[in-house]
Amino acid sequence: MIIRSMLPRFFAPDMDTGLATVTLPVDEARHLTRVLRLSAGDVVEVFDGRGSVCRAVIEAAVRDTALLRLMEALPPVAPPPVRLVLVQAVLKGSSMDDCVRDATMLGVEAVEPLLTAHTDVKPSFACRPETIERWRRVALASVKQSRRASLPVIHQPRTFGDWLATPAAETRLLFVEPSAACRPHALKSLLERGAPARAAVIIGPEGGWSPGEIEAALAAGCVAVSLGPLTLRAESMAIAALSALGVIWQT
């Protein structure tokens, strides 16, 4: 008997649960045939990235083509009780990939990359289609590994000022370093408030926020919060903040 959690997972954005079969995209078909070396008769799991998950059997698999027959709908993993958006200053090298991977694993519904005063990545590089596509591939791989049913939206990078000027979540939490020029709230103080329906988790770059950015964020209604007196590495902040909020706001 095949245990569901051990079934290989494949992404089929065009899957229609009302139809009998689905054809995988070329990249997914290549992974099925060339990497995992699966063939007709093998049972797999397929999802559309929008919440639908099915158990399926491979009907045909040759090189770049894989046809699956849908067998039954499966219950998706429940999303977090609070819809979280990671608003992350773009980080150098693979650190941004790690943030996207970890945020996806922790259930965020979207990642909004920011260009800030201390961002140490050229805007021309951060905004390249190839860069954004790489982040989306990282998110897809993390969705498969974590077995969540929905694919997070990876937005085009924009400046912090532009993001602040756009209507966003009802709760916007600006995570600041211990030396920041403001008095942040302790994260545990959120326990005194009711859980919001949606929250933006705003994380700065390696060099931290500028005083002007903090002032603008507070003026726009963001709440400055802290994880404590220790200074964490920028690439560690997202997973620490999202994990802490998951505990605070879990049902």
mmCIF file of all heavy atoms in Angstrom, residues 96-102 104 133-143:
data_model
loop_
_atom_site.group_PDB
_atom_site.id
_atom_site.type_symbol
_atom_site.label_atom_id
_atom_site.label_comp_id
_atom_site.label_asym_id
_atom_site.label_seq_id
_atom_site.Cartn_x
_atom_site.Cartn_y
_atom_site.Cartn_z
ATOM 1 N N MET A 96 18.216 35.310 -0.674
ATOM 2 C CA MET A 96 16.828 35.591 -1.064
ATOM 3 C C MET A 96 16.115 34.307 -1.463
ATOM 4 O O MET A 96 14.939 34.115 -1.142
ATOM 5 C CB MET A 96 16.799 36.599 -2.213
ATOM 6 C CG MET A 96 15.404 37.136 -2.515
ATOM 7 S SD MET A 96 14.741 38.114 -1.142
ATOM 8 C CE MET A 96 13.083 38.461 -1.752
ATOM 9 N N ASP A 97 16.815 33.412 -2.131
ATOM 10 C CA ASP A 97 16.233 32.107 -2.459
ATOM 11 C C ASP A 97 15.812 31.378 -1.185
ATOM 12 O O ASP A 97 14.734 30.778 -1.120
ATOM 13 C CB ASP A 97 17.226 31.231 -3.221
ATOM 14 C CG ASP A 97 17.565 31.776 -4.600
ATOM 15 O OD1 ASP A 97 16.988 32.795 -5.010
ATOM 16 O OD2 ASP A 97 18.424 31.184 -5.263
ATOM 17 N N ASP A 98 16.675 31.437 -0.164
ATOM 18 C CA ASP A 98 16.369 30.767 1.099
ATOM 19 C C ASP A 98 15.122 31.360 1.754
ATOM 20 O O ASP A 98 14.298 30.632 2.314
ATOM 21 C CB ASP A 98 17.555 30.879 2.060
ATOM 22 C CG ASP A 98 18.784 30.106 1.587
ATOM 23 O OD1 ASP A 98 18.619 29.231 0.701
ATOM 24 O OD2 ASP A 98 19.891 30.388 2.082
ATOM 25 N N CYS A 99 14.992 32.697 1.686
ATOM 26 C CA CYS A 99 13.810 33.349 2.270
ATOM 27 C C CYS A 99 12.534 32.905 1.572
ATOM 28 O O CYS A 99 11.522 32.615 2.215
ATOM 29 C CB CYS A 99 13.953 34.874 2.192
ATOM 30 S SG CYS A 99 15.049 35.577 3.426
ATOM 31 N N VAL A 100 12.577 32.866 0.240
ATOM 32 C CA VAL A 100 11.404 32.434 -0.530
ATOM 33 C C VAL A 100 11.058 30.991 -0.199
ATOM 34 O O VAL A 100 9.895 30.642 0.026
ATOM 35 C CB VAL A 100 11.657 32.605 -2.038
ATOM 36 C CG1 VAL A 100 10.527 31.974 -2.853
ATOM 37 C CG2 VAL A 100 11.800 34.085 -2.393
ATOM 38 N N ARG A 101 12.079 30.133 -0.132
ATOM 39 C CA ARG A 101 11.853 28.719 0.194
ATOM 40 C C ARG A 101 11.219 28.557 1.566
ATOM 41 O O ARG A 101 10.225 27.845 1.740
ATOM 42 C CB ARG A 101 13.188 27.973 0.141
ATOM 43 C CG ARG A 101 13.112 26.484 0.488
ATOM 44 C CD ARG A 101 14.483 25.963 0.895
ATOM 45 N NE ARG A 101 14.957 26.586 2.118
ATOM 46 C CZ ARG A 101 16.249 26.763 2.429
ATOM 47 N NH1 ARG A 101 17.194 26.356 1.595
ATOM 48 N NH2 ARG A 101 16.592 27.337 3.574
ATOM 49 N N ASP A 102 11.799 29.218 2.578
ATOM 50 C CA ASP A 102 11.320 29.046 3.945
ATOM 51 C C ASP A 102 9.938 29.662 4.137
ATOM 52 O O ASP A 102 9.092 29.097 4.845
ATOM 53 C CB ASP A 102 12.316 29.667 4.928
ATOM 54 C CG ASP A 102 13.649 28.942 4.950
ATOM 55 O OD1 ASP A 102 13.703 27.781 4.500
ATOM 56 O OD2 ASP A 102 14.644 29.545 5.394
ATOM 57 N N THR A 104 7.623 30.011 1.893
ATOM 58 C CA THR A 104 6.668 29.107 1.241
ATOM 59 C C THR A 104 6.376 27.922 2.141
ATOM 60 O O THR A 104 5.212 27.526 2.320
ATOM 61 C CB THR A 104 7.231 28.631 -0.110
ATOM 62 O OG1 THR A 104 7.449 29.760 -0.963
ATOM 63 C CG2 THR A 104 6.274 27.666 -0.781
ATOM 64 N N GLU A 133 11.756 34.664 -12.043
ATOM 65 C CA GLU A 133 11.409 33.298 -12.421
ATOM 66 C C GLU A 133 12.142 32.293 -11.539
ATOM 67 O O GLU A 133 11.580 31.242 -11.172
ATOM 68 C CB GLU A 133 11.745 33.055 -13.892
ATOM 69 C CG GLU A 133 11.402 31.666 -14.395
ATOM 70 C CD GLU A 133 9.936 31.301 -14.239
ATOM 71 O OE1 GLU A 133 9.076 32.220 -14.273
ATOM 72 O OE2 GLU A 133 9.639 30.096 -14.040
ATOM 73 N N ARG A 134 13.403 32.594 -11.156
ATOM 74 C CA ARG A 134 14.127 31.691 -10.261
ATOM 75 C C ARG A 134 13.437 31.616 -8.902
ATOM 76 O O ARG A 134 13.279 30.528 -8.332
ATOM 77 C CB ARG A 134 15.575 32.157 -10.088
ATOM 78 C CG ARG A 134 16.403 31.156 -9.269
ATOM 79 C CD ARG A 134 17.829 31.600 -9.058
ATOM 80 N NE ARG A 134 17.934 32.653 -8.072
ATOM 81 C CZ ARG A 134 18.306 33.910 -8.338
ATOM 82 N NH1 ARG A 134 18.606 34.264 -9.569
ATOM 83 N NH2 ARG A 134 18.381 34.808 -7.385
ATOM 84 N N TRP A 135 13.004 32.763 -8.373
ATOM 85 C CA TRP A 135 12.290 32.754 -7.093
ATOM 86 C C TRP A 135 11.013 31.925 -7.198
ATOM 87 O O TRP A 135 10.646 31.217 -6.259
ATOM 88 C CB TRP A 135 11.964 34.171 -6.650
ATOM 89 C CG TRP A 135 13.170 35.012 -6.332
ATOM 90 C CD1 TRP A 135 14.410 34.569 -5.958
ATOM 91 C CD2 TRP A 135 13.260 36.442 -6.379
ATOM 92 N NE1 TRP A 135 15.253 35.633 -5.756
ATOM 93 C CE2 TRP A 135 14.585 36.796 -5.998
ATOM 94 C CE3 TRP A 135 12.358 37.452 -6.684
ATOM 95 C CZ2 TRP A 135 15.011 38.113 -5.936
ATOM 96 C CZ3 TRP A 135 12.781 38.776 -6.620
ATOM 97 C CH2 TRP A 135 14.101 39.100 -6.246
ATOM 98 N N ARG A 136 10.335 32.010 -8.329
ATOM 99 C CA ARG A 136 9.104 31.233 -8.501
ATOM 100 C C ARG A 136 9.391 29.742 -8.566
ATOM 101 O O ARG A 136 8.614 28.932 -8.062
ATOM 102 C CB ARG A 136 8.358 31.719 -9.752
ATOM 103 C CG ARG A 136 7.726 33.105 -9.543
ATOM 104 C CD ARG A 136 7.162 33.706 -10.807
ATOM 105 N NE ARG A 136 6.538 35.001 -10.500
ATOM 106 C CZ ARG A 136 6.280 35.949 -11.390
ATOM 107 N NH1 ARG A 136 6.586 35.745 -12.679
ATOM 108 N NH2 ARG A 136 5.724 37.094 -11.019
ATOM 109 N N ARG A 137 10.508 29.370 -9.177
ATOM 110 C CA ARG A 137 10.884 27.955 -9.205
ATOM 111 C C ARG A 137 11.227 27.459 -7.805
ATOM 112 O O ARG A 137 10.899 26.324 -7.432
ATOM 113 C CB ARG A 137 12.068 27.731 -10.145
ATOM 114 C CG ARG A 137 11.741 27.879 -11.622
ATOM 115 C CD ARG A 137 12.819 27.246 -12.490
ATOM 116 N NE ARG A 137 14.153 27.785 -12.213
ATOM 117 C CZ ARG A 137 14.684 28.836 -12.813
ATOM 118 N NH1 ARG A 137 13.991 29.495 -13.747
ATOM 119 N NH2 ARG A 137 15.902 29.254 -12.514
ATOM 120 N N VAL A 138 11.905 28.309 -7.029
ATOM 121 C CA VAL A 138 12.226 27.959 -5.642
ATOM 122 C C VAL A 138 10.939 27.748 -4.850
ATOM 123 O O VAL A 138 10.815 26.792 -4.068
ATOM 124 C CB VAL A 138 13.088 29.059 -4.997
ATOM 125 C CG1 VAL A 138 13.203 28.838 -3.484
ATOM 126 C CG2 VAL A 138 14.481 29.092 -5.615
ATOM 127 N N ALA A 139 9.957 28.639 -5.028
ATOM 128 C CA ALA A 139 8.680 28.514 -4.327
ATOM 129 C C ALA A 139 7.968 27.221 -4.719
ATOM 130 O O ALA A 139 7.419 26.517 -3.856
ATOM 131 C CB ALA A 139 7.796 29.723 -4.629
ATOM 132 N N LEU A 140 7.988 26.889 -6.007
ATOM 133 C CA LEU A 140 7.330 25.664 -6.454
ATOM 134 C C LEU A 140 7.973 24.430 -5.828
ATOM 135 O O LEU A 140 7.278 23.513 -5.367
ATOM 136 C CB LEU A 140 7.383 25.575 -7.981
ATOM 137 C CG LEU A 140 6.827 24.283 -8.598
ATOM 138 C CD1 LEU A 140 5.382 24.049 -8.180
ATOM 139 C CD2 LEU A 140 6.950 24.329 -10.120
ATOM 140 N N ALA A 141 9.305 24.400 -5.790
ATOM 141 C CA ALA A 141 9.996 23.267 -5.177
ATOM 142 C C ALA A 141 9.634 23.142 -3.696
ATOM 143 O O ALA A 141 9.457 22.032 -3.176
ATOM 144 C CB ALA A 141 11.509 23.418 -5.341
ATOM 145 N N SER A 142 9.487 24.281 -3.014
ATOM 146 C CA SER A 142 9.139 24.256 -1.598
ATOM 147 C C SER A 142 7.695 23.815 -1.380
ATOM 148 O O SER A 142 7.379 23.126 -0.407
ATOM 149 C CB SER A 142 9.364 25.644 -0.980
ATOM 150 O OG SER A 142 9.213 25.603 0.420
ATOM 151 N N VAL A 143 6.801 24.200 -2.299
ATOM 152 C CA VAL A 143 5.413 23.732 -2.227
ATOM 153 C C VAL A 143 5.361 22.215 -2.328
ATOM 154 O O VAL A 143 4.647 21.538 -1.584
ATOM 155 C CB VAL A 143 4.575 24.378 -3.354
ATOM 156 C CG1 VAL A 143 3.238 23.643 -3.525
ATOM 157 C CG2 VAL A 143 4.300 25.844 -3.036
#
